[in-house]
Amino acid sequence: KKAAAEKKLSGTENTTRARTRLKKEAKSDYPAPPMQLSGNALAFYDRICRHLAENGVIQDVDALFVAQTAQNLHITAEAWAVIEKEGAVQETHSGYTQQTGHYTVWKNGLAIYKDQAAQLGLTVKARTLMLEVFGEEDNADHDPIADLMNMDVA
């Protein structure tokens, strides 16, 4: 059996236990999820919020976006579990092959998460960009928003 701490890190913590733990923990570091999260989405929400709270960047207004990201991760993981069992291609009655619906859900979920992760600073590239723009500055007149406006994002 996995230790409780290892389950939290891997995102495989029992959903009921995760809900109980979240209710017991102080919510001062990050907001409670504003919507019902299914399956492992609550564990994903907890991990993302803890990461953002450790970096001091989460606000109450972010809770819905983080919850949507966590739910998307859960749906994507569920689709992948089905793909592992059944495969990503199916044959139609007429003999043609096509991608399964689960593959489409998984592929779309990854594309959505890629965008969401960048917005939340959960990718290496996004964190590097944020450090470059919002890193410590000795100049009190420095305007990080002006730096963002003048950046070549391509």
Short mmCIF file of all heavy atoms in Angstrom, two decimals, residues 47-92:
data_model
loop_
_atom_site.label_atom_id
_atom_site.label_comp_id
_atom_site.label_asym_id
_atom_site.label_seq_id
_atom_site.Cartn_x
_atom_site.Cartn_y
_atom_site.Cartn_z
N ARG A 47 -3.50 19.96 -5.39
CA ARG A 47 -2.09 20.05 -5.78
C ARG A 47 -1.79 21.37 -6.50
O ARG A 47 -0.77 22.01 -6.24
CB ARG A 47 -1.71 18.87 -6.66
CG ARG A 47 -1.69 17.56 -5.90
CD ARG A 47 -1.37 16.40 -6.78
NE ARG A 47 0.04 16.51 -7.20
CZ ARG A 47 0.57 15.74 -8.13
NH1 ARG A 47 -0.17 14.86 -8.76
NH2 ARG A 47 1.84 15.87 -8.45
N ILE A 48 -2.67 21.77 -7.39
CA ILE A 48 -2.46 23.03 -8.13
C ILE A 48 -2.52 24.22 -7.17
O ILE A 48 -1.66 25.10 -7.20
CB ILE A 48 -3.49 23.19 -9.27
CG1 ILE A 48 -3.26 22.14 -10.35
CG2 ILE A 48 -3.41 24.60 -9.88
CD1 ILE A 48 -4.39 22.04 -11.37
N CYS A 49 -3.54 24.22 -6.30
CA CYS A 49 -3.68 25.33 -5.35
C CYS A 49 -2.50 25.41 -4.39
O CYS A 49 -2.01 26.50 -4.10
CB CYS A 49 -4.98 25.20 -4.56
SG CYS A 49 -6.44 25.70 -5.49
N ARG A 50 -2.04 24.25 -3.89
CA ARG A 50 -0.89 24.27 -3.00
C ARG A 50 0.34 24.83 -3.71
O ARG A 50 1.09 25.62 -3.15
CB ARG A 50 -0.59 22.87 -2.46
CG ARG A 50 -1.45 22.54 -1.25
CD ARG A 50 -1.03 21.26 -0.58
NE ARG A 50 -1.49 20.14 -1.40
CZ ARG A 50 -0.80 19.02 -1.57
NH1 ARG A 50 0.35 18.84 -1.02
NH2 ARG A 50 -1.30 18.06 -2.32
N HIS A 51 0.54 24.45 -4.98
CA HIS A 51 1.66 24.96 -5.76
C HIS A 51 1.56 26.48 -5.91
O HIS A 51 2.53 27.20 -5.69
CB HIS A 51 1.71 24.29 -7.13
CG HIS A 51 2.65 24.94 -8.08
ND1 HIS A 51 4.01 24.82 -7.99
CD2 HIS A 51 2.42 25.76 -9.14
CE1 HIS A 51 4.59 25.52 -8.95
NE2 HIS A 51 3.64 26.09 -9.66
N LEU A 52 0.39 26.95 -6.27
CA LEU A 52 0.19 28.39 -6.47
C LEU A 52 0.30 29.15 -5.15
O LEU A 52 0.86 30.25 -5.09
CB LEU A 52 -1.16 28.66 -7.14
CG LEU A 52 -1.32 28.10 -8.56
CD1 LEU A 52 -2.74 28.30 -9.05
CD2 LEU A 52 -0.31 28.73 -9.51
N ALA A 53 -0.22 28.55 -4.06
CA ALA A 53 -0.14 29.20 -2.75
C ALA A 53 1.31 29.30 -2.27
O ALA A 53 1.71 30.31 -1.69
CB ALA A 53 -0.98 28.43 -1.74
N GLU A 54 2.09 28.25 -2.52
CA GLU A 54 3.51 28.27 -2.13
C GLU A 54 4.25 29.41 -2.83
O GLU A 54 5.22 29.93 -2.30
CB GLU A 54 4.17 26.94 -2.46
CG GLU A 54 3.77 25.82 -1.52
CD GLU A 54 4.24 24.45 -2.01
OE1 GLU A 54 4.96 24.38 -3.03
OE2 GLU A 54 3.88 23.46 -1.36
N ASN A 55 3.79 29.76 -4.02
CA ASN A 55 4.43 30.84 -4.76
C ASN A 55 3.72 32.18 -4.56
O ASN A 55 4.09 33.17 -5.18
CB ASN A 55 4.48 30.48 -6.26
CG ASN A 55 5.43 29.34 -6.49
OD1 ASN A 55 6.64 29.49 -6.35
ND2 ASN A 55 4.91 28.17 -6.81
N GLY A 56 2.69 32.18 -3.72
CA GLY A 56 2.01 33.42 -3.35
C GLY A 56 1.25 34.08 -4.48
O GLY A 56 1.10 35.30 -4.50
N VAL A 57 0.73 33.28 -5.41
CA VAL A 57 0.07 33.89 -6.57
C VAL A 57 -1.41 33.55 -6.71
O VAL A 57 -2.04 33.97 -7.67
CB VAL A 57 0.80 33.53 -7.89
CG1 VAL A 57 2.18 34.13 -7.92
CG2 VAL A 57 0.84 32.03 -8.11
N ILE A 58 -1.99 32.81 -5.78
CA ILE A 58 -3.40 32.45 -5.95
C ILE A 58 -4.29 33.43 -5.19
O ILE A 58 -3.96 33.87 -4.09
CB ILE A 58 -3.68 31.00 -5.51
CG1 ILE A 58 -5.10 30.59 -5.95
CG2 ILE A 58 -3.47 30.81 -4.02
CD1 ILE A 58 -5.34 29.12 -5.94
N GLN A 59 -5.41 33.78 -5.82
CA GLN A 59 -6.42 34.65 -5.22
C GLN A 59 -7.76 33.93 -5.28
O GLN A 59 -7.93 32.99 -6.06
CB GLN A 59 -6.51 35.97 -6.00
CG GLN A 59 -5.21 36.75 -6.05
CD GLN A 59 -4.79 37.27 -4.69
OE1 GLN A 59 -5.63 37.65 -3.88
NE2 GLN A 59 -3.49 37.28 -4.44
N ASP A 60 -8.72 34.37 -4.50
CA ASP A 60 -10.04 33.74 -4.50
C ASP A 60 -10.66 33.73 -5.90
O ASP A 60 -11.34 32.78 -6.27
CB ASP A 60 -10.98 34.46 -3.53
CG ASP A 60 -10.66 34.15 -2.08
OD1 ASP A 60 -9.84 33.23 -1.83
OD2 ASP A 60 -11.22 34.82 -1.20
N VAL A 61 -10.41 34.77 -6.66
CA VAL A 61 -11.00 34.88 -7.99
C VAL A 61 -10.48 33.78 -8.93
O VAL A 61 -11.12 33.45 -9.93
CB VAL A 61 -10.75 36.29 -8.58
CG1 VAL A 61 -9.30 36.48 -8.97
CG2 VAL A 61 -11.68 36.58 -9.74
N ASP A 62 -9.35 33.17 -8.60
CA ASP A 62 -8.75 32.11 -9.44
C ASP A 62 -9.39 30.75 -9.22
O ASP A 62 -9.14 29.82 -9.99
CB ASP A 62 -7.25 31.99 -9.14
CG ASP A 62 -6.51 33.28 -9.39
OD1 ASP A 62 -6.84 33.98 -10.36
OD2 ASP A 62 -5.59 33.59 -8.60
N ALA A 63 -10.18 30.60 -8.17
CA ALA A 63 -10.68 29.29 -7.76
C ALA A 63 -11.46 28.58 -8.87
O ALA A 63 -11.27 27.38 -9.10
CB ALA A 63 -11.54 29.41 -6.52
N LEU A 64 -12.32 29.27 -9.58
CA LEU A 64 -13.12 28.63 -10.62
C LEU A 64 -12.23 28.15 -11.76
O LEU A 64 -12.40 27.02 -12.25
CB LEU A 64 -14.20 29.58 -11.16
CG LEU A 64 -15.12 28.98 -12.22
CD1 LEU A 64 -15.86 27.76 -11.68
CD2 LEU A 64 -16.11 30.00 -12.73
N PHE A 65 -11.28 28.96 -12.18
CA PHE A 65 -10.38 28.56 -13.27
C PHE A 65 -9.54 27.35 -12.86
O PHE A 65 -9.38 26.41 -13.64
CB PHE A 65 -9.49 29.73 -13.69
CG PHE A 65 -8.65 29.44 -14.90
CD1 PHE A 65 -9.24 29.29 -16.14
CD2 PHE A 65 -7.28 29.31 -14.80
CE1 PHE A 65 -8.48 29.02 -17.27
CE2 PHE A 65 -6.51 29.04 -15.91
CZ PHE A 65 -7.11 28.89 -17.16
N VAL A 66 -9.05 27.35 -11.63
CA VAL A 66 -8.27 26.21 -11.14
C VAL A 66 -9.15 24.97 -11.06
O VAL A 66 -8.73 23.87 -11.43
CB VAL A 66 -7.60 26.52 -9.79
CG1 VAL A 66 -6.92 25.29 -9.21
CG2 VAL A 66 -6.60 27.65 -9.94
N ALA A 67 -10.38 25.12 -10.59
CA ALA A 67 -11.32 23.99 -10.51
C ALA A 67 -11.62 23.43 -11.90
O ALA A 67 -11.66 22.20 -12.09
CB ALA A 67 -12.61 24.42 -9.82
N GLN A 68 -11.81 24.30 -12.88
CA GLN A 68 -12.05 23.84 -14.24
C GLN A 68 -10.83 23.10 -14.79
O GLN A 68 -10.96 22.08 -15.47
CB GLN A 68 -12.40 25.01 -15.15
CG GLN A 68 -13.75 25.60 -14.85
CD GLN A 68 -13.98 26.93 -15.56
OE1 GLN A 68 -13.04 27.63 -15.94
NE2 GLN A 68 -15.25 27.27 -15.74
N THR A 69 -9.63 23.60 -14.47
CA THR A 69 -8.40 22.93 -14.89
C THR A 69 -8.30 21.55 -14.26
O THR A 69 -7.98 20.57 -14.93
CB THR A 69 -7.17 23.79 -14.51
OG1 THR A 69 -7.29 25.07 -15.13
CG2 THR A 69 -5.87 23.13 -14.94
N ALA A 70 -8.59 21.47 -12.97
CA ALA A 70 -8.54 20.19 -12.27
C ALA A 70 -9.55 19.20 -12.82
O ALA A 70 -9.25 18.02 -13.02
CB ALA A 70 -8.76 20.42 -10.77
N GLN A 71 -10.77 19.67 -13.11
CA GLN A 71 -11.80 18.79 -13.67
C GLN A 71 -11.38 18.31 -15.05
O GLN A 71 -11.57 17.15 -15.40
CB GLN A 71 -13.15 19.51 -13.72
CG GLN A 71 -14.31 18.60 -14.07
CD GLN A 71 -14.57 17.54 -13.01
OE1 GLN A 71 -14.52 17.81 -11.82
NE2 GLN A 71 -14.85 16.32 -13.43
N ASN A 72 -10.79 19.19 -15.84
CA ASN A 72 -10.29 18.81 -17.16
C ASN A 72 -9.21 17.73 -17.04
O ASN A 72 -9.20 16.78 -17.81
CB ASN A 72 -9.74 20.03 -17.90
CG ASN A 72 -9.20 19.67 -19.26
OD1 ASN A 72 -9.88 19.06 -20.07
ND2 ASN A 72 -7.95 20.03 -19.51
N LEU A 73 -8.31 17.88 -16.07
CA LEU A 73 -7.28 16.86 -15.85
C LEU A 73 -7.90 15.52 -15.50
O LEU A 73 -7.46 14.47 -15.98
CB LEU A 73 -6.33 17.30 -14.74
CG LEU A 73 -5.24 18.27 -15.12
CD1 LEU A 73 -4.54 18.78 -13.87
CD2 LEU A 73 -4.25 17.62 -16.06
N HIS A 74 -8.92 15.54 -14.67
CA HIS A 74 -9.60 14.31 -14.29
C HIS A 74 -10.23 13.63 -15.51
O HIS A 74 -10.07 12.44 -15.73
CB HIS A 74 -10.67 14.59 -13.22
CG HIS A 74 -11.58 13.44 -12.99
ND1 HIS A 74 -11.18 12.27 -12.40
CD2 HIS A 74 -12.89 13.28 -13.30
CE1 HIS A 74 -12.19 11.43 -12.35
NE2 HIS A 74 -13.25 12.02 -12.89
N ILE A 75 -10.95 14.41 -16.31
CA ILE A 75 -11.59 13.86 -17.51
C ILE A 75 -10.55 13.31 -18.48
O ILE A 75 -10.73 12.22 -19.05
CB ILE A 75 -12.47 14.94 -18.19
CG1 ILE A 75 -13.67 15.28 -17.29
CG2 ILE A 75 -12.91 14.51 -19.57
CD1 ILE A 75 -14.42 16.54 -17.71
N THR A 76 -9.44 14.03 -18.64
CA THR A 76 -8.38 13.58 -19.53
C THR A 76 -7.77 12.28 -19.03
O THR A 76 -7.52 11.35 -19.81
CB THR A 76 -7.29 14.69 -19.65
OG1 THR A 76 -7.92 15.88 -20.12
CG2 THR A 76 -6.19 14.30 -20.61
N ALA A 77 -7.55 12.18 -17.72
CA ALA A 77 -6.99 10.95 -17.14
C ALA A 77 -7.96 9.78 -17.29
O ALA A 77 -7.53 8.65 -17.58
CB ALA A 77 -6.65 11.18 -15.67
N GLU A 78 -9.24 10.03 -17.11
CA GLU A 78 -10.25 8.98 -17.28
C GLU A 78 -10.26 8.47 -18.73
O GLU A 78 -10.35 7.28 -18.98
CB GLU A 78 -11.64 9.51 -16.91
CG GLU A 78 -11.80 9.83 -15.45
CD GLU A 78 -12.31 8.66 -14.66
OE1 GLU A 78 -13.28 8.02 -15.10
OE2 GLU A 78 -11.72 8.39 -13.60
N ALA A 79 -10.18 9.39 -19.68
CA ALA A 79 -10.16 9.00 -21.09
C ALA A 79 -8.91 8.16 -21.38
O ALA A 79 -8.98 7.16 -22.11
CB ALA A 79 -10.20 10.24 -21.99
N TRP A 80 -7.77 8.56 -20.81
CA TRP A 80 -6.53 7.80 -21.04
C TRP A 80 -6.65 6.38 -20.47
O TRP A 80 -6.18 5.43 -21.09
CB TRP A 80 -5.33 8.51 -20.43
CG TRP A 80 -4.08 7.73 -20.69
CD1 TRP A 80 -3.36 7.02 -19.79
CD2 TRP A 80 -3.43 7.55 -21.95
NE1 TRP A 80 -2.29 6.41 -20.41
CE2 TRP A 80 -2.32 6.72 -21.75
CE3 TRP A 80 -3.70 8.01 -23.24
CZ2 TRP A 80 -1.46 6.33 -22.77
CZ3 TRP A 80 -2.85 7.64 -24.27
CH2 TRP A 80 -1.75 6.80 -24.03
N ALA A 81 -7.30 6.22 -19.33
CA ALA A 81 -7.48 4.89 -18.74
C ALA A 81 -8.27 3.99 -19.68
O ALA A 81 -7.94 2.80 -19.84
CB ALA A 81 -8.18 5.01 -17.38
N VAL A 82 -9.28 4.53 -20.34
CA VAL A 82 -10.07 3.75 -21.30
C VAL A 82 -9.23 3.43 -22.54
O VAL A 82 -9.26 2.31 -23.06
CB VAL A 82 -11.37 4.50 -21.70
CG1 VAL A 82 -12.10 3.76 -22.80
CG2 VAL A 82 -12.26 4.68 -20.48
N ILE A 83 -8.45 4.40 -23.00
CA ILE A 83 -7.58 4.18 -24.17
C ILE A 83 -6.58 3.06 -23.89
O ILE A 83 -6.32 2.22 -24.76
CB ILE A 83 -6.85 5.48 -24.56
CG1 ILE A 83 -7.84 6.49 -25.12
CG2 ILE A 83 -5.73 5.21 -25.57
CD1 ILE A 83 -7.28 7.90 -25.26
N GLU A 84 -6.03 3.02 -22.68
CA GLU A 84 -5.08 1.96 -22.33
C GLU A 84 -5.72 0.59 -22.42
O GLU A 84 -5.07 -0.37 -22.81
CB GLU A 84 -4.51 2.19 -20.93
CG GLU A 84 -3.48 3.29 -20.87
CD GLU A 84 -2.87 3.42 -19.49
OE1 GLU A 84 -3.63 3.40 -18.48
OE2 GLU A 84 -1.64 3.54 -19.42
N LYS A 85 -6.99 0.49 -22.06
CA LYS A 85 -7.69 -0.79 -22.09
C LYS A 85 -8.19 -1.15 -23.48
O LYS A 85 -8.08 -2.30 -23.93
CB LYS A 85 -8.89 -0.76 -21.13
CG LYS A 85 -8.52 -0.71 -19.68
CD LYS A 85 -9.76 -0.62 -18.83
CE LYS A 85 -9.38 -0.41 -17.38
NZ LYS A 85 -10.54 -0.12 -16.54
N GLU A 86 -8.77 -0.17 -24.20
CA GLU A 86 -9.48 -0.45 -25.44
C GLU A 86 -8.75 0.01 -26.70
O GLU A 86 -9.16 -0.34 -27.81
CB GLU A 86 -10.87 0.19 -25.40
CG GLU A 86 -11.72 -0.33 -24.26
CD GLU A 86 -13.05 0.39 -24.15
OE1 GLU A 86 -13.38 1.22 -25.03
OE2 GLU A 86 -13.75 0.14 -23.15
N GLY A 87 -7.73 0.84 -26.54
CA GLY A 87 -7.01 1.36 -27.70
C GLY A 87 -7.58 2.69 -28.17
O GLY A 87 -8.64 3.13 -27.71
N ALA A 88 -6.87 3.33 -29.10
CA ALA A 88 -7.25 4.66 -29.56
C ALA A 88 -7.94 4.64 -30.92
O ALA A 88 -8.41 5.66 -31.39
CB ALA A 88 -6.02 5.56 -29.64
N VAL A 89 -7.99 3.46 -31.55
CA VAL A 89 -8.59 3.34 -32.89
C VAL A 89 -9.68 2.28 -32.85
O VAL A 89 -9.54 1.25 -32.18
CB VAL A 89 -7.50 2.95 -33.92
CG1 VAL A 89 -8.11 2.77 -35.30
CG2 VAL A 89 -6.39 3.99 -33.95
N GLN A 90 -10.75 2.55 -33.56
CA GLN A 90 -11.83 1.58 -33.66
C GLN A 90 -12.18 1.35 -35.12
O GLN A 90 -11.95 2.21 -35.97
CB GLN A 90 -13.07 2.06 -32.90
CG GLN A 90 -13.70 3.32 -33.49
CD GLN A 90 -14.83 3.84 -32.63
OE1 GLN A 90 -15.12 3.30 -31.57
NE2 GLN A 90 -15.48 4.90 -33.08
N GLU A 91 -12.75 0.20 -35.39
CA GLU A 91 -13.17 -0.11 -36.75
C GLU A 91 -14.69 0.03 -36.84
O GLU A 91 -15.41 -0.48 -35.98
CB GLU A 91 -12.75 -1.54 -37.13
CG GLU A 91 -13.01 -1.86 -38.58
CD GLU A 91 -12.45 -3.21 -38.98
OE1 GLU A 91 -11.43 -3.63 -38.40
OE2 GLU A 91 -13.04 -3.84 -39.87
N THR A 92 -15.16 0.73 -37.85
CA THR A 92 -16.60 0.92 -38.03
C THR A 92 -17.21 -0.32 -38.67
O THR A 92 -16.50 -1.21 -39.13
CB THR A 92 -16.89 2.14 -38.91
OG1 THR A 92 -16.38 1.89 -40.22
CG2 THR A 92 -16.26 3.40 -38.33
#
